[in-house]
Amino acid sequence: MTAVAPLVDRFGRVHRDLRISLTDRCSLRCTYCMPAEGVPWLAGSTMLSTDELVRIARVAVEQGVTEIRLTGGEPLLRPDVVDVVRRMAALEGPGGAPEVSLTTNALRLPALAAPLRDAGLARVNISIDTLDRERFRALTRRDRLHDTLAGIAAADSVGFAPIKLNAVAMRGVNDDEVVDLVRYAVERGYQMRFIEQMPLDAGHTWDRTAMVTQAEILASLRTAFELSEVPGRGSAPAELWYVDGGPATVGVIASVTAPFCGTCDRVRLTADGQLRSCLFARTETDLRTLLREGAEDAVLAAAIRRCLAGKKPGHDIDDPTFLQPDRPMSAIGG
Ligand code: SAM
């Protein structure tokens, strides 16, 4: 394969991680992400077909992407998700085949964990904000905690490792559960990660003064565990700590109070074919129209590079001029 220049932006950040939203539909309605009802779904005709998705992924991999994370919405709701994984895992770039991973609520993992593993899926990140059935029902507006737990067990039983569990910490909702969540994860050999809540909810109700900060999460954890920092974070969103000397670790994704934009290597493709250089970008690059107008690979590659050329140095959540993106998280791909 001929050498290509890395996918670098104006600030020298090299992009290797492509997050692809397979659908904006979800089987849960988490309060911090989606409204209870009246979700403005993306129109079916605008959704990328699997051939279109794989074509964009192929061009991105040929340009230097080495990691593909499938997300949504709920990516396992896409009927051909196993086929998508198989085709993406078979791509070839200058760095070889990409690592394909998935972020999911795990509800469909009891049925899909084994076929996904066989198709070449490398890892799963599973969202679980609480271990309490009533809280789960209130938070996700669905009584499905037992299904998420069964999905985690299924991922484990087919050998996915490491299994990373994600929880958005919320004041008065689950912030008293951080220790229990870490215990649950550590006892099973998983990694628990807490995410600071970001202004990406459909209702635009996020409040900087009410969100639970990394400092608060760590203070709660230190009431029960000895935490020591794990060095060598690289471009990972989560900062990690050893729990009681390790080897178990816990992570915090402090997107708001300790942003990691300076090392960001991520770019996002929405299910309707829009490329976003940041979760909080106010502009998108329309790859769908290019594809459907018959653009050659070189034109798609140039569009990807143009998108990255416009990437801002940071998300500016703390700037008084910050504006929440029009798309909620479920339609961007978290
Ligand atoms: N449905 C899948 C899942 O549940 O993991 C994938 C999509 S979901 C949008 C991806 C991740 O984004 C989840 O871990 C979720 O908790 C997180 N998320 C959604 N809205 C968020 C917000 N406002 N702030 C922080 N994280 C958020």
Side-chain angles (χ1 to χ4, degrees), residues 7 14-22 48 50-72 75 84-85 87-89 91-93 97-103 121 123 125 235 237 263-279 285 287 291 300-301 303-305 307-308 311 332-334:
L7 286 170
V14 175
H15 292 74
R16 298 194 180 88
D17 183 338
L18 174 63
R19 311 248 160 148
I20 301 180
S21 173
L22 294 187
L48 295 189
T50 297
D51 283 347
E52 290 172 328
L53 276 176
V54 174
R55 171 135 187 252
I56 294 176
R58 176 177 59 72
V59 171
V61 166
E62 287 169 0
Q63 296 298 307
V65 160
T66 56
E67 284 175 53
I68 294 179
R69 166 78 57 83
L70 303 176
T71 179
V84 171
V85 167
R87 293 177 64 183
M88 295 210 174
L91 296 173
E92 276 293 327
E99 180 188 79
V100 182
S101 62
L102 184 81
T103 301
L121 189 71
R123 285 188 300 105
N125 286 8
S235 58
T263 56
C264 179
D265 67 347
R266 291 168 285 284
V267 56
R268 293 181 148 81
L269 179 66
T270 65
D272 59 344
Q274 310 301 304
L275 198 68
R276 299 175 63 89
S277 60
C278 173
L279 268 179
T285 298
L287 297 185
L291 269 176
L300 293 174
I304 294 173
R305 287 177 186 275
C307 174
L308 292 175
K311 181 161 174 157
I332 296 173

Side-chain angles (χ1 to χ4, degrees), residues 150-171:
I152 295 172
D156 197 0
S157 71
V158 304
F160 283 117
I163 291 179
K164 297 182 185 174
L165 304 180
N166 292 333
V168 177
M170 285 161 286
R171 196 172 307 285

Side-chain angles (χ1 to χ4, degrees), residues 26 28 30 32-33 70-75 103-106 125-127 129 166-168 195-201 206 329-330 333-334:
C26 193
L28 300 178
C30 300
Y32 53 79
C33 190
L70 303 176
T71 179
E74 174 45 44
T103 301
T104 175
N105 60 29
N125 286 8
I126 297 174
S127 304
D129 296 319
N166 292 333
V168 177
I195 309 176
E196 284 183 346
Q197 188 175 353
M198 295 179 278
L200 287 166
D201 57 309
W206 181 84
M329 182 72 130
S330 57

